[in-house]
Amino acid sequence: MNKLDRAFVPSPEAEVRYFHSEFKIVRNGSHVRCAVTGEPIPLDDLKYWNVERQEAYASTDAVLKQLRRLKAPSVYGQ
């Protein structure tokens, strides 16, 4: 059995502090949640995050969706 054969079984969610080239685990856990999709991201697979917003993303598609959402004009035109 290798890493690709294992099914991900979430245990407690980790609390993570994101920096520009690394992240620090503040509270132990097996995963964090994607800010866009809500899906669990195993810490071993965590590749995408936003330092300013302190958010994790499951994929490049999730990153793009969040960027588009943040740049969209608000309902009130502000």
Side-chain angles (χ1 to χ4, degrees):
M1 177 182 267
N2 63 37
K3 182 178 176 181
L4 297 175
D5 292 336
R6 287 185 282 143
F8 176 68
V9 178
S11 62
E13 190 169 332
E15 183 178 339
V16 175
R17 178 83 175 127
Y18 302 102
F19 299 96
H20 287 288
S21 60
E22 63 185 3
F23 58 88
K24 178 181 176 185
I25 299 171
V26 177
R27 186 182 67 228
N28 285 334
S30 65
H31 66 285
V32 293
R33 295 243 170 235
C34 177
V36 175
T37 65
E39 69 184 273
I41 308 165
L43 291 178
D44 289 342
D45 296 336
L46 180 58
K47 298 176 188 161
Y48 311 107
W49 61 81
N50 182 302
V51 174
E52 289 77 25
R53 297 182 60 83
Q54 290 294 294
E55 294 178 334
Y57 306 108
S59 66
T60 53
D61 288 337
V63 173
L64 290 173
K65 283 181 185 177
Q66 184 71 317
L67 288 174
R68 288 182 185 127
R69 186 185 71 77
L70 293 172
K71 291 183 179 187
S74 71
V75 175
Y76 302 104
Q78 298 174 348

